[in-house]
Amino acid sequence: MTGGSDGSGGGQRDDRGLAEDGTIAREGSLDRVPTAFRPLVDAVRTRTSALFGADRLHSAYLYGSIPRGTAVPGVSDLDLLLALHREPTGADRADAEALGAGLDRDFPVVDGAGVLVHGAATLLGPLERHDLGFFVACLCTPLIGDDLARELPRYRPSRLLARETNGDLALALPRWRERLAADPDEEERRRLARGISRRLVRTGFTLVMPDWNGWTSDLARSAEVFAARYPARADQMRLAAATARTPTPDPAVPALLVTDLAPWLAAEYTAVHGAKAPRP
């Protein structure tokens, strides 16, 4: 174990998301969940425990706008991470997908539900220390089970963190182009627009994160932090941030982002921070 985290991030968050010791403070808390989303969170806890059981489930975490307290009813989606005692199987992933679909169906307060599933050993492993490990320790809010953040280090807004979190944008471009070229229906276009835009805004932010010396998951603020360093690309990044919050079925928007902003951003990212360590 490297220096552990008690979940607080070392003290009070400042305006740049840092604790008193200069490390990135953990964002989100169950206390911040808006009232409209609390019945959903209760159902997440109950259904997850019942479906996966203690034999499979090590712990579960909320992340995104709901535990940050910024979720908008009927607009925001549910983001959930499940850590399993062993590496997930096809059956585990199918159960996770069914869990998310059921919650999305039964709770109109959210527009979509995504459930990530990983083995606890992977989340704690050295290869993921500055990607999924950081994600758990700083961006996830414990909901069920023992918090894996206690076994992870504190993190600083470094070039290493930038490289390992978003240094693989180039790998996503062929998949995005293929999915856009497949003439998706309106609902799929909205999902694509949201997913692509979120990834671009987060990558744009982490490109400048080490120099800015802070952390934010707020999309609008992320776009503005990026825009201050790259004003020529500011309008495109602001478009991505707006689309990430309110996705459009208009195919022209993700097409523009994927054909222009994304290739430039991938090349600039590699030039500044290098490529992410390859995964098996």
Side-chain angles (χ1 to χ4, degrees), residues 5-278:
S5 170
D6 63 3
S8 69
Q12 189 74 27
R13 287 178 72 91
D14 68 8
D15 185 56
R16 295 201 176 193
L18 299 180
E20 295 170 358
D21 62 357
T23 58
I24 297 172
R26 196 175 209 174
E27 62 177 29
S29 165
L30 294 182
D31 293 339
R32 298 180 190 171
V33 173
T35 301
F37 292 88
R38 289 177 185 169
L40 166 67
V41 171
D42 290 341
V44 171
R45 183 185 288 109
T46 300
R47 294 187 188 189
T48 300
S49 297
L51 180 59
F52 282 87
D55 59 327
R56 283 199 289 173
L57 185 68
H58 175 281
S59 47
Y61 308 80
L62 296 172
Y63 64 97
S65 61
I66 292 177
R68 291 200 305 269
T70 59
V72 178
V75 175
S76 300
D77 57 353
L78 167 69
D79 297 304
L80 179 66
L81 168 67
L82 307 182
L84 304 186
H85 289 294
R86 52 173 170 74
E87 292 307 304
T89 64
D92 295 325
R93 297 188 189 283
D95 283 346
E97 184 174 350
L99 173 65
L103 291 163
D104 182 30
R105 178 192 64 235
D106 297 340
F107 289 87
V109 71
V110 289
D111 179 20
V115 183
L116 300 178
V117 57
H118 292 282
T122 293
L123 296 171
L124 294 176
L127 185 62
E128 296 294 342
R129 182 58 50 86
H130 286 83
D131 188 9
L132 290 176
F134 163 73
F135 176 62
V136 171
C138 295
L139 308 187
C140 287
T141 297
L143 182 67
I144 303 169
D146 294 332
D147 184 9
L148 289 172
R150 296 190 180 96
E151 301 183 52
L152 291 162
R154 301 200 187 282
Y155 295 87
R156 296 181 183 275
S158 64
R159 290 188 62 194
L160 173 61
L161 186 62
R163 183 175 72 243
E164 292 304 306
T165 51
N166 287 299
D168 59 348
L169 178 62
L171 299 181
L173 302 189
R175 297 194 300 272
W176 289 347
R177 294 185 185 114
E178 182 179 347
R179 292 177 67 185
L180 290 171
D183 193 24
D185 63 24
E186 182 173 313
E187 184 56 32
E188 177 63 12
R189 288 199 301 270
R190 288 180 70 252
R191 284 195 295 267
L192 268 172
R194 171 180 271 170
I196 290 169
S197 297
R198 282 181 173 180
R199 178 72 184 274
L200 293 178
V201 175
R202 288 167 180 162
T203 303
F205 168 70
T206 52
L207 172 62
V208 301
M209 170 193 65
D211 289 338
W212 189 64
N213 192 34
W215 182 271
T216 180
S217 288
D218 180 87
L219 295 170
R221 191 180 190 194
S222 294
E224 293 309 316
V225 171
F226 168 87
R229 174 65 178 81
Y230 291 97
R233 294 281 176 173
D235 288 345
Q236 287 183 329
M237 193 59 76
R238 289 175 181 134
L239 172 62
T243 304
R245 294 191 303 273
T246 309
T248 171
D250 181 357
V253 174
L256 170 65
L257 297 175
V258 169
T259 58
D260 192 0
L261 177 61
W264 171 84
L265 184 57
E268 181 71 4
Y269 210 98
T270 301
V272 174
H273 297 305
K276 183 175 182 174

